[in-house]
Amino acid sequence: MYFDMTYLYIVLPAVIFALIASGRVKSTFNKYSKQLSASHISGAQAAQRVLYLNGLTNTRIERIAGNLTDHYDPKENVIRLSSPVYDSTSTAAIGVACHEAGHALQYAQGYAPIKLRAAIIPATNIGSKLAMPLVILGIIMSYYAQAFISVAYIGIIFFTACVFFQLVTLPVEFNASRRALQSIEGQGMLNEEELKGSRRVLTAAAMTYVAALAVSLA
């Protein structure tokens, strides 16, 4: 058994890309969390406005601990916003909050990619748990009998489900950001200069999903 340098050449650039994307989203959010909006609306108020103007009156908005832990929970029909987003009137907070409201709109309106992503979550969960153990087990067992290498290939098939999930996630995230920016601009929550801050935060966040897909493909 040996280490194939080809693996390093392929995977290392993707990992570096992922690290840069992760650092970029944090630095961009920190930068525009200091740019306060002239409208003085908070992230929670901005998300609520998007929901109400689209007829979603039953979706709750809650505070959650952590930093950049914001998400929409379709099972509970609740948008959970971290403290730096919930109360803040920054362009970064408004952008992130409206992005999560965009996910709520996707579910409410039956957006096809998010329905597909939800449908493959069970297979993805199984694949993420079994893929690497099967690959490693198959490689070890193939030392004693070459036929056992098929176990590793089964692991790769399981891992493919995870890759497909990340691929489907891309249009979901980009669409949610587009909905957010359209709502922010259409409802006059931010002026033109402030909108640039929200757009840069959401673009940086979207690149983390691109990077995750790149790592998985590599």
Side-chain angles (χ1 to χ4, degrees), residues 63-118:
R63 188 194 309 272
I64 190 174
N67 187 34
L68 296 178
T69 51
D70 314 270
H71 65 278
Y72 170 67
D73 183 348
K75 291 183 179 180
E76 299 292 333
N77 191 25
V78 56
I79 295 174
R80 297 190 174 96
L81 301 177
S82 59
S83 294
V85 170
Y86 191 98
D87 293 315
S88 176
T89 61
S90 70
T91 59
I94 291 172
V96 170
C98 289
H99 173 91
E100 300 308 330
H103 284 312
L105 295 182
Q106 289 173 336
Y107 276 97
Q109 297 171 4
Y111 180 59
I114 207 166
K115 291 172 65 177
L116 175 59
R117 189 176 73 165

Side-chain angles (χ1 to χ4, degrees), residues 86-152:
Y86 191 98
D87 293 315
S88 176
T89 61
S90 70
T91 59
I94 291 172
V96 170
C98 289
H99 173 91
E100 300 308 330
H103 284 312
L105 295 182
Q106 289 173 336
Y107 276 97
Q109 297 171 4
Y111 180 59
I114 207 166
K115 291 172 65 177
L116 175 59
R117 189 176 73 165
I120 64 176
I121 284 178
T124 302
N125 290 336
I126 295 173
S128 63
K129 294 176 181 177
L130 295 180
M132 288 301 107
L134 287 175
V135 169
I136 294 172
L137 182 63
I139 292 174
I140 294 174
M141 292 174 65
S142 68
Y143 180 78
Y144 301 98
Q146 187 61 31
F148 284 118
I149 196 65
S150 59
V151 175

Side-chain angles (χ1 to χ4, degrees), residues 16 22 33 50 73 75 86 90-92 112 139 150 159 181 199 211 217:
I16 293 174
S22 178
S33 64
V50 174
D73 183 348
K75 291 183 179 180
Y86 191 98
S90 70
T91 59
I139 292 174
S150 59
F159 188 72
L181 293 171
R199 181 177 290 108
L217 287 173

Side-chain angles (χ1 to χ4, degrees), residues 120 123-124 127-128 131-132 153-167 213 216-217:
I120 64 176
T124 302
S128 63
M132 288 301 107
Y153 285 113
I154 293 173
I156 293 174
I157 292 173
F158 274 110
F159 188 72
T160 302
C162 302
V163 176
F164 183 66
F165 177 82
Q166 291 174 330
L167 181 63
L213 176 61
S216 295
L217 287 173

